[in-house]
Amino acid sequence: MLRLHNVTKRFEEKTALDGVTLEIAAGEFLVLVGPSGCGKSTLLRLLAGLEHPSHGEIWLDEVNITAASPRQRNFAMIFQNYALFPHLSVKDNITFGMRVRREPKAGWSARVAQVARMLELDELLERKPAKLSGGQRQRVAMARAIVRDPRLFLMDEPLSNLDARLRGDVRDSIMALHRQLCTATVYVTHDQIEAMSMADRIVVLDQGRVQQIGPPEYVYDRPANVFVAGFIGSPGMNILTLPCERGAIALGAQAYLLPAPAQQRDSVIVGIRPEHITDDLQGTRQLLCLPATVTQRELMGADYLLHISTPIGALRYCRKNRGDAPRVGDSLSIGFSPIDIHLFDAQTQRALYQETPHAFASDTALTGAHLYRLAHALRQRAGEGEHRLHVSGPG
Ligand code: ATP
């Protein structure tokens, strides 16, 4: 539905966005995520028409809207500070845009009533914003956006002013609304957990450049480079630069034979997620094992996060079973499976994946959303060879 082609935005010397190309499908919930200053708000403002690109184009369906004004685009923006008028009631805030656009009054009340019901604001229509909670104010801001029936919602960190509990509630209302309206949405956050839980696809930005685009599971399982590997996931991935010799890395008494793309190197960057390390070495899986000493133990609710020192460096891992968890100073053996190791080029920092055919098995029915995500995952890897998608099963 919407395409950005090679969009660059410069503010004098500063390049805020550098050659961004991406597509937003109709009905899609796209989340832009990245650290402070990576260009998220600039990208959203370009989409809104509040700024214009220095280079590149923005297309809506078959129309080039690069130079179009905000009004011509019919996109609705929802900000973190709600931007409500304090002297107007909830109802007048919601209908403000209709009033400005001089829309015929006849249709107003039915639309306001419908949207107020959807967002559970029916009882609050006569109140002023000062007498609302943060979550209610954000719902009014959403209601005001929805009555416009926009082509696209643009949301700039809409949960960041809310406390943890309310954040969950408003996030649920945003997702419920999205399921109901199916309006394409571009949602900005610096919180990767929020991004993973809400997105159909995530766009990871750093220093104005797109680092990776894909469904959350794909970005988590196959980060495209060291930045994405470290940014996505909490607690973060363990990342170590290790020397290689004759196509292998020495891991204590064992050697990890590098897959083909990583052979013939002097060193390689290795990533291991904390949840893939275990101190339960029983069982049938083939594990690479290391001796370790516990240096710190953090309670994370259901789990402990253990910091350990090992012959290859400091690592962190999640200990699910708290009952007999090791304590600071204890010596133990830890292990991880070779298939859970991520490898990155030490110079370019790009992932070195062994491309094997992917099997996708599901004991639940494949839905349209599954197929959609698969198609995106395959398209992202287009050009790396031939991909076939076999779908079988009832329906
Ligand atoms: P945050 O999460 O902190 O809001 P962000 O990812 O939204 O950050 P942007 O606000 O898009 O980042 O800014 C990207 C870069 O462009 C920053 O380095 C910022 O200082 C710079 N920048 C943004 N707007 C302007 C401007 N009007 N003039 C000059 N530089 C700007």
Side-chain angles (χ1 to χ4, degrees):
M1 180 185 112
L2 189 74
R3 277 181 295 135
L4 276 82
H5 183 69
N6 204 13
V7 167
T8 294
K9 178 66 184 175
R10 288 198 194 90
F11 295 105
E12 293 161 4
E13 294 301 288
K14 173 81 198 169
T15 303
L17 289 174
D18 191 0
V20 171
T21 294
L22 59 91
E23 292 176 8
I24 300 151
E28 186 173 28
F29 201 100
L30 191 79
V31 179
L32 304 179
V33 66
S36 182
C38 69
K40 307 180 290 292
S41 302
T42 303
L43 186 46
L44 212 63
R45 291 171 62 79
L46 286 176
L47 288 174
L50 299 170
E51 305 271 4
H52 295 287
S54 315
H55 290 293
E57 292 174 352
I58 305 175
W59 288 74
L60 178 64
D61 297 325
E62 300 310 314
V63 183
N64 184 336
I65 59 161
T66 315
S69 69
R71 190 176 262 208
Q72 287 166 322
R73 297 181 189 207
N74 188 25
F75 299 164
M77 189 135 173
I78 298 174
F79 301 93
Q80 53 183 272
N81 60 6
Y82 325 127
L84 300 179
F85 295 107
H87 60 288
L88 297 183
S89 68
V90 166
K91 187 175 176 186
D92 290 343
N93 263 289
I94 296 175
T95 54
F96 185 80
M98 303 175 185
R99 207 183 305 268
V100 171
R101 288 189 297 276
R102 297 181 196 282
E103 289 182 24
K105 268 194 173 172
W108 289 15
S109 51
R111 265 164 76 195
V112 171
Q114 186 194 12
V115 170
R117 211 171 321 121
M118 214 186 262
L119 287 163
E120 295 175 24
L121 292 168
D122 334 41
E123 309 287 312
L124 307 173
L125 287 173
E126 301 308 324
R127 279 209 209 163
K128 298 270 168 62
K131 296 200 169 159
L132 299 175
S133 71
Q136 288 165 336
R137 283 179 213 175
Q138 193 52 284
R139 294 213 301 271
V140 177
M142 286 197 276
R144 187 179 52 186
I146 293 166
V147 284
R148 290 179 51 183
D149 193 17
R151 283 297 307 274
L152 183 74
F153 284 121
L154 301 169
M155 303 195 187
D156 194 359
E157 307 228 13
L159 309 183
S160 62
N161 284 342
L162 306 174
D163 66 39
R165 194 184 55 80
L166 262 182
R167 210 175 293 159
D169 290 352
V170 177
R171 186 172 69 185
D172 292 347
S173 1
I174 292 176
M175 295 320 290
L177 261 181
H178 182 70
R179 279 192 296 276
Q180 218 170 330
L181 301 172
C182 288
T183 305
T185 303
V186 181
Y187 183 105
V188 159
T189 179
H190 62 273
D191 180 345
Q192 50 92 21
I193 296 184
E194 203 171 292
M196 301 258 276
S197 62
M198 299 177 89
D200 289 320
R201 283 189 307 148
I202 291 182
V203 179
V204 185
L205 280 173
D206 187 40
Q207 296 182 16
R209 295 214 179 105
V210 172
Q211 304 293 319
Q212 190 168 11
I213 305 180
E217 299 88 339
Y218 190 81
V219 173
Y220 188 86
D221 292 341
R222 295 172 79 82
N225 56 37
V226 173
F227 175 81
V228 178
F231 188 76
I232 298 288
S234 175
M237 187 186 276
N238 294 293
I239 295 172
L240 303 162
T241 303
L242 297 177
C244 316
E245 211 174 320
R246 279 181 269 146
I249 298 174
L251 291 174
Q254 289 167 295
Y256 168 56
L257 293 178
L258 292 165
Q263 282 174 3
Q264 322 227 321
R265 286 161 193 268
D266 298 331
S267 69
V268 72
I269 300 174
V270 172
I272 311 164
R273 292 214 179 270
E275 66 270 30
H276 290 147
I277 299 179
T278 179
D279 56 34
D280 175 9
L281 305 181
Q282 311 300 316
T284 52
R285 288 182 309 152
Q286 276 287 330
L287 297 180
L288 295 162
C289 296
L290 286 171
T293 306
V294 178
T295 55
Q296 199 180 326
R297 191 168 88 164
E298 281 175 51
L299 181 62
M300 311 245 312
D303 314 333
Y304 278 124
L305 182 67
L306 291 176
H307 298 235
I308 50 176
S309 74
T310 76
I312 59 167
L315 298 172
R316 297 181 311 160
Y317 77 101
C318 299
R319 177 57 142 79
K320 298 273 175 238
N321 182 357
R322 269 176 31 207
D324 56 347
R327 297 172 176 279
V328 172
D330 284 357
S331 296
L332 69 157
S333 289
I334 55 104
F336 44 87
S337 166
I339 58 168
D340 291 327
I341 294 180
H342 299 259
L343 294 172
F344 305 93
D345 185 288
Q347 267 77 48
T348 64
Q349 310 239 316
R350 289 169 67 95
L352 300 165
Y353 285 116
Q354 174 87 308
E355 290 301 333
T356 49
H358 262 233
F360 185 92
S362 171
D363 49 11
T364 56
L366 275 175
T367 64
H370 283 120
L371 290 173
Y372 175 80
R373 287 178 170 205
L374 266 175
H376 269 299
L378 289 173
R379 199 162 67 173
Q380 198 181 32
R381 291 165 55 199
E384 295 173 16
E386 186 181 337
H387 299 286
R388 282 161 196 251
L389 179 59
H390 294 278
V391 182
S392 61

